[in-house]
């Protein structure tokens, strides 16, 4: 797309710079996304991250850059074990249920399935192998409790991603429960506890039957090691890009880098793509505040996954995005406007062939020289994946389209239509055509009044028919006559 050698650029957390996204091997862009922890339904904040990663992949592929996308399933960690135990279910039964639910939500949101979706439980031997190497190289040690910890001090470069070493601790943090230096066994912990972290956790009573054999005794892997093991297994020791929400920068991604690089002495991921958080009512989403929404919660309120996806595109990934129900309503209007444009373009084409790019699945479109009036919108995506800017520029193009539609040639209309579809395909949104809008059904008394008017009209009692039409209009309903009857639509 005019993009011959133009490449997608994104902000790289590691170098703190905008970087071109290019594959090291000159072929496929190999990237890894931390996937869901399957212990409950994913919330719309999680989906901000997964949707933006999907826009990233679609944009790359549409620009002619093939990808190899790996996204894992975390099905063994503190949370999955705790919840499955609390519900009296096996870890497998429990996590499969939530994994299926996650896939159904992704499907509804038009999120492409990753090329490989490995799960942590199926990769325990890979994780053990990695830990063995780290112990061998002196980067990890077995503590008295039988757990194995990564020795943070053993790696000079530890902290490069989050700059955690530069962070000044407040006196309160200094005296906090997790004293700097003492090992932590929790999977998740705060920046103040830059400390040795667990690679292997010794079996505990409360873990129930969820333990495996290892050279250090029975236990289970810590959370961070799974992504190092699965990332390297499916993408190689060094791959092109790694992604997740910003909360993962520390400790999770920092620890992934430490484990992998201490083991291989090679860079782990070349670029790091992090997505800022979705907020609700200007604050953090939380169960206790009652503002943590799932896709089902929105559906119950009459909104669609397509509308949520559009809403998530309204913010740039580097800025927090505030979610409101008004933003969903605005998304509905915007999608209808797109549907109207699409219907007009389609009608104008008559029997002329439609553009090939009909499906919302990405494919290489290198044969297009330019996207014409939609080019600025496409360029906004290529420039640091600026989805709100792309949407704005798309609507500017739509104004041009609407003004020029009367006089436009078939070729021009096809170019517009193709441009719009490329953009919708990259954003993963579907225009809502006007006929797809549900027409509300009139109440019985309105239907009876309209029937009375129809009969008056049939018997040529024009005065009565007009009077009844007026009455209906006052009640908020318009009568539209057909040859053999009538339709009622809200005013
Ligand atoms: P989890 O299932 O908790 O491991 O999270 C899945 C993904 O969602 C991770 O990449 C998180 O960083 C991301 N995430 C969690 N909360 C939010 C939020 N409020 N906004 C955007 N992304 C989030
Ligand atoms: Zn991860």
């Amino acid at each position: 797309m005019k993009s011959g050698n133009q490449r997608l650029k994104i902000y790289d957390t590691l170098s703190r710079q905008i970087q071109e996204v290019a594959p090291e091997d000159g072929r496929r862009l190999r990237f890894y996304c931390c996937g869901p922890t399957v212990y409950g339904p994913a919330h719309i904040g999680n989906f901000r991250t997964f949707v933006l990663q999907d826009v990233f992949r679609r944009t790359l592929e549409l620009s002619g850059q093939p990808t190899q996308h790996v996204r894992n399933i975390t099905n063994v960690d503190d949370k999955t074990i705790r919840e499955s135990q609390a519900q009296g279910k096996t870890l497998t039964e429990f996590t499969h249920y939530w994994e299926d639910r996650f896939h159904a939500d992704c499907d509804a949101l038009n999120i492409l399935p990753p090329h490989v979706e490995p799960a942590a439980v199926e990769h325990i031997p890979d994780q053990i192998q990695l830990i063995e190497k780290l112990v061998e190289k002196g980067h990890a040690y077995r503590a008295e409790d039988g757990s194995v910890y990564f020795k943070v001090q053993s790696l000079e470069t530890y902290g490069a991603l989050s700059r955690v070493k530069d962070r000044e601790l407040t006196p309160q943090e200094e005296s906090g429960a997790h004293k700097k230096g003492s090992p932590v066994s929790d999977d998740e912990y705060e920046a103040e506890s830059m400390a040795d972290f667990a690679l292997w956790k010794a079996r505990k009573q409360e873990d129930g039957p969820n333990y495996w054999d290892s050279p250090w005794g029975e236990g289970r892997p810590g959370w961070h090691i799974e992504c190092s093991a699965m990332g390297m297994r499916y993408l190689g020791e060094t791959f092109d890009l790694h992604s997740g929400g910003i909360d993962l920068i520390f400790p999770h991604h920092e620890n992934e880098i430490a484990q992998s690089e201490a083991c291989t002495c090679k860079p782990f991921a070349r670029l790091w793509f992090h997505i800022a958080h979705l907020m609700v009512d200007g604050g953090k989403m939380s169960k206790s505040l009652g503002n943590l929404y799932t896709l089902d919660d929105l559906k119950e309120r009459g909104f669609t996954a397509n509308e949520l996806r559009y809403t998530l595109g309204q913010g740039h990934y580097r800025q927090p995005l505030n979610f409101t129900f008004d933003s969903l309503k605005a998304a509905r209007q915007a999608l209808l406007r797109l549907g109207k444009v699409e219907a007009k373009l389609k009608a104008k084409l008559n029997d002329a062939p439609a553009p090939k790019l009909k499906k919302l699945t990405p494919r290489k479109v290198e044969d297009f020289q330019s996207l014409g009036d939609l080019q600025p919108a496409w360029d906004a995506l290529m420039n640091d994946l600026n989805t709100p800017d792309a949407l704005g520029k798309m609507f500017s193009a739509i104004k041009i389209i609407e003004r020029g539609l009367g006089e436009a040639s078939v070729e021009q209309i096809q170019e517009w239509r193709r441009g719009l579809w490329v953009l919708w395909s990259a954003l993963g949104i579907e225009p809502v055509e006007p006929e797809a809008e549900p027409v509300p059904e009139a109440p019985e008394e309105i239907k009876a009044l309209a029937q009375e008017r129809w009969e008056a009209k049939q018997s040529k009692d024009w005065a009565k028919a007009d009077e009844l039409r007026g009455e209906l209009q006052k009640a908020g309903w318009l009568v539209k006559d057909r040859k053999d009857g009538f339709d009622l639509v809200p005013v």
Side-chain angles (χ1 to χ4, degrees):
M1 238 165 302
K2 199 183 150 192
S3 54
N5 39 26
Q6 190 197 341
R7 290 199 171 274
L8 172 65
K9 294 189 192 76
I10 55 116
Y11 178 80
D12 166 39
T13 316
L14 185 59
S15 62
R16 306 284 196 273
Q17 276 174 6
I18 298 281
Q19 300 277 10
E20 277 196 353
V21 180
E24 194 176 32
D25 69 3
R27 292 180 14 240
R28 270 180 192 272
L29 194 286
R30 289 166 295 138
F31 76 108
Y32 186 97
C33 300
C34 292
T37 308
V38 283
Y39 73 110
H43 57 64
I44 58 175
N46 300 135
F47 282 119
R48 178 181 197 200
T49 289
F50 296 128
V51 162
L52 263 296
Q53 288 165 342
D54 188 58
V55 176
F56 168 79
R57 173 173 158 191
R58 285 165 173 270
T59 305
L60 272 177
E61 293 189 0
L62 282 163
S63 75
Q65 174 57 62
T67 66
Q68 177 69 3
H69 176 200
V70 177
R71 190 186 62 212
N72 70 300
I73 296 281
T74 297
N75 56 1
V76 53
D77 79 325
D78 295 350
K79 292 188 228 164
T80 44
I81 291 182
R82 191 176 55 233
E83 281 303 307
S84 61
Q85 288 288 101
Q87 295 186 20
K89 294 187 175 138
T90 65
L91 188 63
T92 311
E93 179 192 10
F94 175 78
T95 54
H96 276 179
Y97 176 84
W98 290 113
E99 189 181 329
D100 287 350
R101 168 76 181 276
F102 174 71
H103 287 146
D105 284 353
C106 284
D107 239 31
L109 280 162
N110 249 341
I111 297 174
L112 297 168
H115 299 108
V116 188
E117 196 174 36
V121 164
E122 278 87 68
H123 293 78
I124 305 259
D126 290 86
Q127 300 180 63
I128 292 178
Q129 245 178 39
L130 206 53
I131 303 170
E132 275 182 308
K133 274 194 204 146
L134 290 170
V135 174
E136 235 172 77
K137 290 184 131 193
H139 288 292
Y141 60 91
R142 184 177 186 271
E144 270 175 21
D145 63 355
S147 297
V148 180
Y149 291 93
F150 185 90
K151 201 193 286 176
V152 167
Q153 294 269 326
S154 74
L155 194 71
E156 185 69 18
T157 52
Y158 187 87
L161 181 73
S162 61
R163 312 268 158 102
V164 68
K165 284 182 181 165
D166 301 343
R167 213 177 141 238
E168 274 189 37
L169 302 184
T170 62
Q172 209 177 2
E173 285 173 346
E174 290 273 27
S175 62
H178 291 305
K179 268 256 161 87
K180 213 173 171 179
S182 56
V184 282
S185 61
D186 292 356
D187 282 334
E188 288 165 82
Y189 52 88
E190 303 292 328
E192 61 268 28
S193 29
M194 192 195 89
D196 295 357
F197 57 90
L199 298 168
W200 185 261
K201 300 184 181 201
R203 178 181 172 189
K204 276 192 272 170
Q205 184 78 27
E206 58 266 35
D207 291 344
N210 304 303
Y211 61 87
W212 288 263
D213 279 333
S214 84
W216 316 282
E218 289 167 341
R220 61 181 169 98
W223 168 40
H224 313 295
I225 195 76
E226 68 174 68
C227 290
S228 289
M230 296 187 282
M232 292 201 274
R233 165 165 282 272
Y234 294 101
L235 295 171
E237 290 179 342
T238 300
F239 51 87
D240 295 310
L241 180 138
H242 197 313
S243 175
I246 48 161
D247 55 304
L248 297 189
I249 297 175
F250 188 89
H252 186 55
H253 287 164
E254 199 68 81
N255 293 352
E256 278 190 41
I257 294 176
Q259 298 156 161
S260 314
E261 298 191 355
C263 191
T264 65
C265 299
K266 291 181 193 158
F268 180 45
R270 297 166 52 236
L271 300 170
W272 290 82
F273 167 48
H274 287 108
I275 293 111
H277 272 188
L278 183 73
M279 320 294 276
V280 174
D281 306 323
K284 217 183 147 173
M285 267 189 288
S286 90
K287 262 190 194 148
S288 57
L289 292 173
N291 65 2
L292 190 149
Y293 301 111
T294 64
L295 186 56
D296 273 7
D297 293 332
L298 302 191
K299 283 185 181 164
E300 269 167 34
R301 293 175 189 228
F303 295 101
T304 64
N306 191 29
E307 286 160 358
L308 174 62
R309 177 141 184 157
Y310 186 99
T311 304
L312 295 174
Q314 281 174 319
H316 189 215
Y317 75 87
R318 280 163 64 186
Q319 304 295 329
L321 173 65
N322 191 34
F323 170 83
T324 61
F325 281 93
D326 280 343
S327 58
L328 275 181
K329 287 180 197 155
R332 172 167 299 177
Q333 292 314 314
L335 289 164
L336 277 168
R337 175 120 189 258
L338 300 184
K340 280 180 193 152
V341 174
E342 166 69 357
K344 277 188 210 163
L345 291 175
K346 220 167 31 180
K348 271 271 179 184
L349 281 178
N350 290 325
D351 289 324
K356 284 194 196 128
L357 243 189
K358 262 197 190 155
K359 281 196 181 158
L360 284 179
T361 48
R363 36 169 288 183
K364 207 167 167 179
V365 280
E366 60 190 357
D367 45 329
F368 303 148
Q369 281 307 301
S370 155
L371 291 182
D373 292 315
L374 273 306
Q375 188 70 38
W378 173 257
D379 292 343
L381 278 185
M382 295 294 275
N383 184 12
D384 198 18
L385 215 61
N386 197 330
T387 51
D389 194 25
L391 288 170
K393 292 196 162 123
M394 174 184 72
F395 278 108
S396 303
I398 284 176
K399 277 190 199 140
I400 299 174
I401 295 173
E402 285 173 340
R403 273 202 304 270
L405 201 57
E407 318 276 283
S409 64
V410 167
E411 291 72 31
Q412 172 65 80
I413 293 170
Q414 280 184 323
E415 184 185 87
W416 281 332
R417 201 158 169 236
R418 198 167 52 214
L420 285 169
W421 274 98
V422 167
L423 215 64
W424 297 337
S425 186
L427 294 165
I429 52 173
E430 292 177 72
V432 179
E433 292 203 25
E435 54 269 26
E437 231 178 318
V439 180
E441 203 178 331
E444 287 310 316
E445 65 272 20
I446 296 291
K447 281 192 205 158
L449 216 57
Q451 182 60 32
E452 208 183 311
R453 178 195 157 268
W454 175 254
E455 281 156 18
K457 197 180 154 195
Q458 296 308 301
S459 50
K460 300 196 167 28
D461 186 350
W462 308 116
K464 187 169 179 198
D466 279 352
E467 189 193 322
L468 289 169
R469 176 188 280 280
E471 246 181 76
L472 283 163
Q473 201 156 345
K474 258 191 240 155
W477 292 89
L478 276 182
V479 192
K480 287 194 173 170
D481 286 327
R482 286 182 270 105
K483 253 190 208 151
D484 53 350
F486 59 87
D487 290 318
L488 280 165
V489 287
V491 175

